């Protein structure tokens, strides 16, 4: 199935990921209509990696993105076409294999019921910038679909090409697997220990629930500690991607 990448960051980072691969399993092709500074930079990178580039009319790019979600249709004069790529996520991994080579100090993020691909993309970006080694999502009630992946790639500003993602059938079982592997499970929810008072373990797993329902009961029962972000506003809670970024920053700060 052909995938299409739009947005300067997403296109550039997918190219860099392609250039770093030892064996190319996908075929890339760039269509462009406007050769501004950012596009020229991407075209130079494509030439370096041997990716063909083709100048087309803007109408041809519009046609290429017509079936994409509305948020991904702003092509900015360039579209990356990819054939032969995994239909799910670029960095999809098997949890058992990942745990077999897990380092002694690591951060894992579990998303429970986070269905907005924009939020997942933003969390992937925070994972990349703040050192999380793995993102885990459920097959159901998540943004793990093909179309969602295109939006996530754009929202993550290319981080989806670098952060491993495990898509699983049972998040509560995963939490127990992580505990058996030495991880301490921290659930983000109201009424927990204030974040500044929390001392994260060497192996940390952070569980983020949906903004509406929060963390499911079974998964919350597997948490070793509930963590809250002290706030002073009048609305109920922070956006889940913002909250994840704050907690990941504190985790990163403690590890420095």
């Amino acid at each position: 199935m052909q995938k299409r990448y739009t947005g300067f960051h997403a296109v550039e980072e997918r190219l860099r990921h392609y250039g770093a691969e030892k064996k190319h399993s996908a075929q890339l092709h760039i269509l462009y209509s406007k050769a501004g500074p950012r596009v020229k930079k991407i075209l130079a990178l494509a030439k370096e990696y041997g990716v063909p580039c083709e100048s087309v009319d803007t109408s041809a790019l519009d046609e290429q993105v017509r079936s994409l979600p509305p948020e991904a249709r702003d092509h900015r004069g360039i579209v990356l076409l990819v054939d032969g790529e995994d239909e799910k996520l670029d960095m999809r991994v098997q949890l058992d294999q990942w745990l077999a080579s897990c380092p002694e100090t690591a951060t894992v993020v579990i998303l429970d019921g986070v269905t907005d691909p924009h939020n997942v993309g933003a969390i992937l970006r925070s994972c990349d910038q703040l050192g999380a080694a793995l993102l885990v999502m459920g097959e159901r009630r998540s943004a793990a679909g093909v179309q969602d992946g295109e939006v996530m790639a754009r929202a993550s500003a290319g981080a989806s090409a670098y952060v491993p993602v495990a898509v699983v059938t049972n998040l509560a079982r995963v939490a127990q697997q992580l505990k058996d592997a030495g991880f301490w499970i921290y659930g983000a929810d109201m009424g927990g220990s204030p974040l500044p008072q929390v001392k994260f373990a060497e192996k940390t797993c952070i569980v983020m629930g949906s903004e509406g329902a929060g963390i499911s009961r079974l998964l919350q029962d597997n948490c070793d500690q509930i963590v809250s972000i002290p706030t002073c506003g009048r609305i109920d809670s922070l956006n889940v991607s913002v909250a994840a970024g704050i907690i990941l920053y504190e985790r990163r700060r403690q590890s420095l």
Side-chain angles (χ1 to χ4, degrees), residues 175-224:
Q176 187 58 55
Q177 281 182 268
L178 290 168
K179 291 174 79 168
D180 292 343
F183 281 83
W184 194 265
I185 313 296
Y186 301 86
D189 205 353
M190 292 185 292
S193 303
L195 182 61
Q197 298 176 17
V198 175
K199 176 61 177 175
F200 288 105
E202 294 262 320
K203 288 186 173 181
T204 284
C205 173
I206 299 166
V207 182
M208 306 298 303
S210 67
E211 293 178 39
I215 302 171
S216 63
R217 184 185 60 81
L218 285 176
L219 187 52
Q220 190 164 137
D221 288 346
N222 273 286
C223 292
D224 297 298

Side-chain angles (χ1 to χ4, degrees), residues 145-188:
V146 177
Q147 267 205 332
D148 288 334
E150 292 167 336
V151 178
M152 283 165 50
R154 185 183 179 99
S156 73
S160 61
Y162 297 102
V163 180
V165 175
V167 180
V168 301
T169 57
N170 190 315
L171 292 175
R173 187 180 301 134
V174 166
Q176 187 58 55
Q177 281 182 268
L178 290 168
K179 291 174 79 168
D180 292 343
F183 281 83
W184 194 265
I185 313 296
Y186 301 86

Side-chain angles (χ1 to χ4, degrees), residues 10-109:
V11 171
E12 184 174 343
E13 292 307 327
R14 182 61 184 89
L15 275 174
R16 292 188 185 281
H17 184 63
Y18 176 82
E21 291 176 342
K22 294 181 179 179
K23 183 179 179 181
H24 295 145
S25 58
Q27 294 180 324
L28 277 60
H29 186 90
I30 284 180
L31 303 177
Y32 70 97
S33 64
K34 301 176 182 177
R38 291 298 302 276
V39 171
K40 287 181 179 178
K41 179 182 177 182
I42 292 171
L43 295 180
L45 192 64
K47 182 178 180 180
E48 179 182 344
Y49 297 144
V51 174
C53 302
E54 180 182 353
S55 177
V56 299
D57 293 333
T58 300
S59 59
L61 297 183
D62 294 340
E63 184 62 32
Q64 285 289 339
V65 302
R66 193 180 303 280
S67 63
L68 296 181
E71 302 84 354
R73 294 176 193 163
D74 182 16
H75 52 70
R76 309 289 295 277
I78 189 167
V79 176
L80 173 62
L81 308 178
V82 182
D83 289 293
E85 186 174 78
D86 190 312
E87 291 188 1
K88 295 289 186 178
L89 298 167
D90 296 348
M91 291 293 288
R92 185 166 178 172
V93 298
Q94 296 297 319
L95 181 65
D96 291 340
Q97 295 176 359
W98 186 87
L99 283 173
S101 58
C102 176
E104 287 302 312
T105 300
T107 303
V108 172
V109 177

